[in-house]
Amino acid sequence: MAGDSNQMSFARYQNNTAKWWLKDPGLRQNVLHCIGLYFAVFYLGYDASLLNGLQAMPQWKAYFNDPDSSYLGLISASLFLPAIVTPYISSAINDQWGRKASLAVGSVVLIAGAFVNAFARNAGMFIAGRCLIGAAGPFGKITAVALLQEIAHPRLRAILASSFYCNYYVGSIVAAWFCYGSLHWGDTDDWAWRAPCLFQITAPIVVLLFLAVIPESPRWLVHHGKTDKALSILAKYHANGDQNDELVQYEYQEICAIIELEEMNKKTRWIDFVKTAPNRRRLLVLLTMATGTNWSGNGIISYYLTPVLNLIGITNPAQISGINGGLAVWNLILAYAGSLNAERLGRRKLWLISTIGMLASYIVITGLSGSFAEHKKHATGIAVIPMLFIFYGFYDFGWTPLPFSYGAEILPYHMRLKGLGILLSVQSVAQAFNQWVNPVALKSITWKYYIVYIALLCMYLALVVFFFPETRGLTIEEVSLIFDTGRLGNASAATAELQQHAADMKVIQAEKQGSSVVHVEDKKSADVPA
């Protein structure tokens, strides 16, 4: 729990605007802007279901000569290889030109990649299109969640931010059912697979349209000396234009204080992530989330549902596409259930519920798959399907909504984009490795490969228990200091530290103003003839 002073400030968030956000002009615009940023993650969910759908599509397999497991791994991994590098380019653009510039660059490159994908003449061109899409992804993926955290009204920030990655499954649903429909266009119709690929241009176009109205990050503006504009944005969207509103002044002073505190330290470098114990803990959490999002067993189901279902005797393309589409809808529902409870239950509880549930259900999936492989009982194979839904339900509840929103929270402003860049870069390495290895391993050792993920889930559970602090009930500035107060954090200490620094800054500013007045008075006295 945060301290009394923090609870008092949080009460102000509740009272300065209409209780129901739809009835408040400023909040309506604020929520609309955040929803516009959700489209930045649409592409990744779309791609996961798209590749599953294409693998079940005879037209696509015939056009690309029925790719084998190793070539299929290359096609899948090609999306993630460029994203190992581009997060650092995105971070540099963010620092220099702002969040909106990075989003614009990523959207344009993503549109280009979708066109190359859709009009591919051969497998090499198809892979090149996926490389462009993968290169573009980090520009939107890490920038959008950072900007969302920085513009959202504090009362709505937790739910808006934790819902960000849930929209992965909106893309997943669209791709799954698009492929299901186009499956029946005819065995010789190339547009059965080209049309779903071309539809990937939709989300980046929406992001480009929203950039015309979405404000720049107030924190970036303060950091670059544009304090009046930052205050104006906070007032417009958090208090309907009232710059003297208590919440607006509280936020503005917190932002100025934390950025001033960071500016007093030397410029952030990549090496800073390992120089102090708090930063090493931040880095450990980032690396855990980066690898855990794909090394917890979900990567097999996300990109290789067709081979997984083949292992339990399900080979009909329509059945596979139907399961893929149903799983996407289920995932969206459960992911939003997790995001809506992130503030009520707390992030730490969500992490624990999610990881424990995944471990238990994956053990059952492994047992059922092994039993089917040995006895070939149809009922045993069918029993795996609901367990896949249960496993993904637990994954959705915590590991879908939290990694990027939690990562953005726990990092101070000056480390935020660099830290998210590390998160996405390492995640891309893990995904590329995973997607290359998974089809080969599934073909070679079949269901026994699942045992590797059981061991990994045990490791991730231990890391969550010992290193993931609770962050609910705090502003983003207060959360960014939580690791400075211990391994599992101390909310009251983080709040007190930030408020003390804000008070110190007020004293320093008052002293500076006082000395300026004295200096002016002395100068006037000196100008008066004796």
Side-chain angles (χ1 to χ4, degrees), residues 209-478:
L209 292 174
F210 265 95
L211 288 180
V213 294
I214 291 175
E216 185 54 85
S217 162
R219 287 149 183 87
W220 185 88
L221 292 169
V222 169
H223 183 64
H224 286 77
K226 301 178 181 181
T227 53
D228 290 343
K229 191 171 182 180
L231 181 59
S232 175
I233 288 171
L234 289 171
K236 181 177 180 179
Y237 298 110
H238 293 187
N240 294 298
D242 183 6
Q243 293 192 7
N244 294 317
D245 177 82
E246 203 170 18
L247 166 65
V248 170
Q249 286 298 318
Y250 182 88
E251 284 188 287
Y252 179 70
Q253 289 165 13
E254 269 201 335
I255 292 169
C256 292
I258 200 70
I259 290 179
E260 180 70 26
L261 179 62
E262 292 161 3
E263 288 297 320
M264 290 169 65
N265 300 322
K266 54 188 175 183
K267 295 278 186 180
T268 307
R269 297 176 300 172
W270 296 104
I271 194 67
D272 292 343
F273 281 91
V274 296
K275 287 180 70 175
T276 66
N279 284 350
R280 287 193 291 272
R281 288 194 290 268
R282 289 184 177 100
L283 182 61
L284 177 62
V285 170
L286 290 174
L287 296 178
T288 300
M289 295 188 298
T291 56
T293 48
N294 269 269
W295 285 2
S296 54
N298 65 303
I300 294 179
I301 305 167
S302 294
Y303 284 84
Y304 299 106
L305 182 62
T306 298
V308 167
L309 293 177
N310 289 344
L311 285 176
I312 55 173
I314 297 173
T315 57
N316 183 283
Q319 288 180 336
I320 293 171
S321 292
I323 292 170
N324 188 32
L327 193 59
V329 175
W330 169 258
N331 288 339
L332 180 66
I333 294 169
L334 268 292
Y336 264 101
S339 70
L340 292 172
N341 284 283
E343 189 67 15
R344 187 173 69 86
L345 293 178
R347 282 45 146 198
R348 181 172 166 81
K349 282 185 181 177
L350 253 62
W351 283 119
L352 289 169
I353 292 170
S354 181
T355 310
I356 292 169
M358 289 161 62
L359 176 59
S361 53
Y362 219 76
I363 290 171
V364 176
I365 289 170
T366 304
L368 289 172
S369 299
S371 178
F372 177 82
E374 184 174 348
H375 303 293
K376 301 297 181 186
K377 289 185 178 179
H378 183 68
T380 306
I382 293 299
V384 173
I385 296 174
M387 289 309 304
L388 292 177
F389 278 75
I390 291 170
F391 165 81
Y392 238 124
F394 280 113
Y395 178 89
D396 296 331
F397 199 62
W399 281 88
T400 290
L402 290 181
F404 281 91
S405 62
Y406 192 74
E409 280 183 332
I410 64 174
L411 293 163
Y413 169 81
H414 67 299
M415 301 179 77
R416 188 163 296 142
L417 266 298
K418 284 184 171 64
L420 290 175
I422 291 172
L423 170 60
L424 187 52
S425 181
V426 174
Q427 184 187 61
S428 300
V429 173
Q431 285 173 323
F433 174 80
N434 215 23
Q435 305 312 75
W436 226 321
V437 169
N438 280 345
V440 178
L442 280 172
K443 186 177 180 180
S444 300
I445 59 175
T446 62
W447 65 271
K448 298 181 185 69
Y449 185 45
Y450 300 160
I451 297 171
V452 174
Y453 289 105
I454 292 175
L456 287 170
L457 279 166
C458 290
M459 179 190 73
Y460 288 124
L461 178 58
L463 288 167
V464 169
V465 168
F466 291 110
F467 293 102
F468 280 54
E470 183 54 72
T471 62
R472 67 172 176 170
L474 302 171
T475 67
I476 191 170
E477 277 71 37
E478 290 159 351

